[in-house]
Amino acid sequence: MRHIISILMENEAGALSRVAGLFSARGYNIESLTVAPTEDTSLSRMTLVTNGSEEIVEQITKQLNKLIDVVKLVELTEGPHIEREMMLIKLKAERAHRAEITSLVEIFRGRIIDVTDTSYIVEMTGSVSKLDAFIEAVHEDLVVEVVRTGPSGIARGPKSLGV
Amino acid sequence: MELSGAEIVVQCLKDEGVDVVFGYPGGAVLHIYDAIFKQDDVQHVLVRHEQGAVHAADGFARSTGKAGVALVTSGPGATNAVTGIATAYMDSIPMVVLTGQVASPFIGSDAFQEVDTVGITRPCVKHNFLIKRVEDIAETFKKAFYIATSGRPGPVVVDIPKDITDPNIKIPYAYPDKIKMRSYNPVTKGHMGQIRRAMDLMLEARRPVIYTGGGVVLGDADQELIELVRKLNFPITSTLMGLGAYPSSDRLFLGMLGMHGTYEANMAMHESDLIIAIGARFDDRVTGHVEKFCPGAKIVHVDVDPSSIAKNVRVDVPIVGPVRSVLKDMLKALGEHKKRPMAEAINDWWGQIDRWRGMHCLRYDRNSSVIKPQYVIETLHKVTNGDAIVCSDVGQHQMFAAQFYGFDKPRRWINSGGLGTMGFGLPSAMGCKVAHPDKDVAVVTGEGSIQMCIQELATCKQYDLPLKIILLNNGYLGMVRQWQEFFYDSRYSHSYVEALPDFVQLTQSYGHVGMRVEKPGDVEGAMKEAFAMKDRLVFLDIVIDPGENVYPMIEAGKGHHEMYLSPESELV
Ligand SMILES: Cc1cc2nc3c(=O)[nH]c(=O)nc-3n(C[C@H](O)[C@H](O)[C@H](O)COP(=O)(O)OP(=O)(O)OC[C@H]3O[C@@H](n4cnc5c(N)ncnc54)[C@H](O)[C@@H]3O)c2cc1C
Ligand SMILES: Cc1ncc(C[n+]2csc(CCOP(=O)(O)OP(=O)(O)O)c2C)c(N)n1
Ligand SMILES: [Mg+2]
């Protein structure tokens, strides 16, 4: 099962390596990990996607909570939530393919943010599956480079993960 | 008050109530050593290897309940300390380890004696800090001691770059009296509803077993435990780490459980319908094969660390909280409950347990013409009136000490259980002796283990630490030899300790008393003589039966009911 854990932690040097180290030391999977400071500069927010049975994920959240730098965490997949990932994708875009690519980008509500004679860079945000679907939809010979952030997430409704 | 960073380090220790530090100097900590030199409040014990410093601080902590403190230099000082830190981590021992670091501007440049101490120790500490500014020292120390000693205790490393301790930079100093951390708030009380649910199960149980561990010792909850157990009249067993929290000599105590636990303790676990686990973590040495573990039992688990609960086995009633407060609340819940324990069923249960006891699983050959290790430990108990602090190394001798000393009080049994660190015994005993100068402190060791930190005999000389070292000399890495006998068709691959030193002469060359004992009839006399020499360290090199094995034994991956029993035991 896929789980998304959102973590609020002290913005201290080494905090990230404590999380990464925990996963490697205990043999847990990390599918993706995003981290950035929050509105409160003393805190950073991390979104972590992992895979495992209920028991393993229970241990993961307990072990994460045990890290002294972790202030709070929530397992987003337990409730209604929104996930978004950003992708930058470089495509081969010769004249012959331009119209097709442009309309695909429109359908997926992406933006073309860089154009050369032979290439486009497309920026797109959305759920993981939407980004996957876009990559599927583009002919694989046209894909030059894919850069994805990994999802970040937030719970729906008025409640917040704060201190 | 204006102080330099080095002076602040020492002043923080004073203000934290630390009166002894175990350490070893080097370049990165010289400013701190200079500050130590200029004062008399914090005593420093110079060890002979940094591993010894950390084990000594550990022994100090285990025997007192206070945080132990070690001080080492950067680079090799810090790496030598790692074994000691990991040892303390595995057994949840409160400790603060101060490591020197190269000056801040040099960090990351592969400077002389630089290692990434925070990185190296991260997986084996409760937390660690790298101090970045002189102004942060006091608060970091306060946090370090708070984290080390609260919740589930553990070692905390504080890495201090040399420039932070510069004697020429002075700043105002004040030690914070309190610390609050938004990211760290250990639980201080168990959930009363859960405690009542647990009590409901306890008062319905027909074949209950209380299984206690190191948490009861760490949480100083022995009195509450005794009260609860006696009120319930339930059988109680303990892990290696919890020995002494409940008196071993009491009728309700079944002995240790697990791989080398007693027949009665393991059978009772296997047949039980309710396990009440208190401050124990279901280690694999205890559970054996988890699928075969306590097949018919519901499980109540009390632990201050939520991650210990349901980690290895499923739990029916989890209770997160410190043992002492939870046991008090359990006593309250028992008092208020309408029901009483199922007296008749419990009586039948005791009848069954007494039949298992009839196996006499710890029986050994008392008429042997060679010295039996079990006899040595029993004699140690007799000569010390069961009241010594016994520090052990790792191996067969450790198991014999655990099985045969019969600990009646907590903080008397000091050993490395989780990491199983050979070399722990002697230096940890130094820490105990420094903390308890008036108590008998014995080291039970093997000829393999003692050689891993034997250099500390010099520390014992320098600081007049009159330990009694009981070497159970079987000429083998006995525990390894036993596994090879049982599981590798007696192919004794590299388990024979050849070229042993003459321990008597070796001890004497360090300025202590050494004696060799070869006959069963001489054991008691030699031991009495050794303990009568109150102000001398005495090393007894006791030649024991080289072929003796530790029984009972559950092979790794087997169930509790599948034990190897000693040839002497029998069901009568
Ligand atoms: C050669 C060898 C053989 C061994 N054989 C055996 C054996 O036969 N039997 C055996 O039992 N062990 C044996 N061990 C030891 C074993 O490896 C483990 O170290 C031991 O079983 C763990 O003990 P414990 O469960 O009490 O946990 P500990 O490591 O003592 O952990 C304590 C638990 O209590 C919790 N705790 C701490 N403080 C509190 C508090 N205040 N309130 C509530 N909870 C708290 C902690 O979170 C933790 O979960 C052996 C070791 C060696 C080296
Ligand atoms: C540092 C370290 N290395 C290796 C081991 C593996 N080991 C466990 S017990 C043991 C033998 C100990 O021999 P000795 O000290 O003579 O004790 P005995 O078992 O003979 O009583 C060994 C090698 C260990 N526990 N620690
Ligand atoms: Mg030996």
Side-chain angles (χ1 to χ4, degrees), chain B residues 397 446-448 472-478 497:
Chain B
H397 59 271
E447 72 301 313
L472 298 181
N473 191 342
N474 52 12
Y476 277 104
L477 301 175
V497 182

Side-chain angles (χ1 to χ4, degrees), chain A residues 10 18 42 59 62 66 68, chain B residues 128 182-183 305-307 309:
Chain A
E10 298 288 352
R18 288 183 207 279
S42 69
Q59 260 303 307
K62 284 175 172 178
K66 215 164 120 173
I68 306 286
Chain B
N128 56 20
R182 61 181 174 187
S183 63
D305 176 3
S307 76
I309 296 178

Side-chain angles (χ1 to χ4, degrees), chain B residues 368-389:
Chain B
S368 162
S369 58
V370 285
I371 302 173
K372 289 286 182 178
Q374 300 92 329
Y375 170 68
V376 178
I377 303 295
E378 284 180 345
T379 309
L380 178 63
H381 181 275
K382 185 170 163 198
V383 170
T384 57
N385 298 313
D387 200 30
I389 296 177

Side-chain angles (χ1 to χ4, degrees), chain B residues 393-398 419-422 445-450 452 472 474 476-480 497:
Chain B
D393 261 306
V394 171
Q396 291 183 317
H397 59 271
Q398 176 187 22
L419 199 66
T421 309
M422 290 171 70
T445 186
E447 72 301 313
S449 295
I450 192 71
M452 288 214 178
L472 298 181
N474 52 12
Y476 277 104
L477 301 175
M479 186 54 92
V480 173
V497 182

Side-chain angles (χ1 to χ4, degrees), chain A residues 66-139:
Chain A
K66 215 164 120 173
L67 294 176
I68 306 286
D69 286 336
V70 169
V71 182
K72 269 193 184 155
L73 64 82
V74 60
E75 207 205 300
L76 291 177
T77 22
E78 274 182 352
H81 67 283
I82 296 170
E83 274 177 54
R84 288 291 180 272
E85 178 173 8
M86 204 220 345
M87 168 168 74
L88 298 173
I89 180 166
K90 191 177 285 184
L91 301 170
K92 269 190 219 149
E94 308 283 350
R95 295 252 163 244
H97 293 118
R98 289 204 167 183
E100 184 200 334
I101 294 176
T102 310
S103 78
L104 252 183
V105 169
E106 251 165 47
I107 294 168
F108 280 85
R109 298 209 200 130
R111 293 197 301 152
I112 296 168
I113 55 173
D114 183 74
V115 179
T116 70
D117 270 3
T118 54
S119 70
Y120 277 171
I121 295 176
V122 175
E123 171 196 321
M124 189 173 290
T125 42
S127 66
V128 172
S129 54
K130 171 179 149 182
L131 303 188
D132 289 346
F134 179 78
I135 297 174
E136 284 283 300
V138 180
H139 195 286

Side-chain angles (χ1 to χ4, degrees), chain B residues 90-92 151-153 211 213-215 218-219 239-241 256-261 279-283 285-286 303-305 308 321-323 394 398-399 416-418 420 479:
Chain B
M90 290 296 280
D91 291 341
S92 306
R152 178 179 186 167
Y211 144 51
L218 294 164
T239 67
L240 182 71
M241 304 315 288
M256 182 169 81
L257 82 165
M259 181 174 273
H260 293 297
R281 58 183 172 84
F282 294 85
D283 184 82
R285 296 258 142 160
V286 166
D303 203 296
V304 74
D305 176 3
S308 281
V323 268
V394 171
Q398 176 187 22
M399 294 299 112
S416 163
M479 186 54 92

